[in-house]
Amino acid sequence: MNAFRSLLVFTWLVVSLIPMGLGLLICSIFVGDRLLWRWFGVPWLSGVIGAARIVGGVKYRVHGQENLPTPDDMQRIILCPKHQSTWETFFFPAWMPRMLAYVFKQELLRIPVFGWAMGRLNMIHIDRSKRSEAWTKVARQGEVLMDQGKWIIMFPEGTRSERGSQGKYKTGATRLATLTGASIIPIAVTSAKCWPRGTFWFIPGTIDVSIGAPIPSEGRDQDEMMVEIEEWIESEMRRLDPEAYQ
């Protein structure tokens, strides 16, 4: 039954992506990325999360929502979530009160429709084989996007980690924060409980998303700051999903 429900969700995801993605591409000729996000991005992403909840049985609850700045607060913000699943890559842009800009590998731009649409939303795509050039682009474009009112989202582990495991936390986000004066919001998310890494099948249950208090970067060392972020996220992960860390 779980496999059948998962198949229904992913079928809807693919089928709905084609008209929404093509619509976004056509409209991008005439309007800017904020309208594209409002008309196409948020509705489609919210629909995927809704389908996973209603059909796939993947519910969620959010803790610490009060730690997010208000929509009219123009401070520079970088989100640093735990990365266990594809689920959070859909959830955060759909749920957050501000438009997000991902830092992602440019290979994703080659994915038909989905990648093409991402390329029209003014995010930060980088060539990871050229580390110096990639960082220069992140620093330059990240500051511009934050000043436009967008929040940057960077997964500090770089890639998805298995449930109960801990990847190496990289300092890209804290390096950007200390350079631009941004605050970092750490986020723990237990998505692997319901959508494990490397699979397309859902496990019905509830994903916990815990949002930490913003950590100012002024006067901070980037390595020390990332240690604080790592300790908060991993401690919170063990509190939210103790079975995975036995």
Side-chain angles (χ1 to χ4, degrees), residues 157-231:
E157 293 169 286
T159 188
R160 289 172 290 179
S161 58
E162 294 182 1
R163 184 185 180 195
S165 69
Q166 178 177 341
K168 182 179 179 180
Y169 280 65
K170 303 173 181 65
T171 58
T174 52
R175 187 179 179 189
L176 178 61
T178 55
L179 178 69
T180 61
S183 294
I184 288 185
I185 297 179
I187 305 175
V189 53
T190 63
S191 53
K193 291 170 60 177
C194 299
W195 189 348
R197 172 187 175 184
T199 180
F200 289 103
W201 307 127
F202 295 130
I203 301 171
T206 301
I207 295 172
D208 284 290
V209 179
S210 182
I211 301 169
I215 302 174
S217 63
E218 185 176 358
R220 298 293 302 273
D221 173 79
Q222 64 186 33
D223 294 316
E224 173 198 359
M225 193 176 180
M226 183 50 72
V227 169
E228 180 180 347
I229 291 166
E230 178 180 358
E231 289 178 347

Side-chain angles (χ1 to χ4, degrees), residues 7 29 38 40 49 51 58 63 66 76 83 102 122 124 142 156 165-166 183 191 199 202 210-211 214-215 224 230:
L7 181 61
I29 302 172
R38 187 184 308 165
F40 299 99
I49 295 299
V58 178
H63 316 266
E66 67 278 3
R76 294 171 176 172
H83 193 16
Y102 275 98
N122 196 17
I124 308 172
S165 69
Q166 178 177 341
S183 294
S191 53
T199 180
F202 295 130
S210 182
I211 301 169
I215 302 174
E224 173 198 359
E230 178 180 358

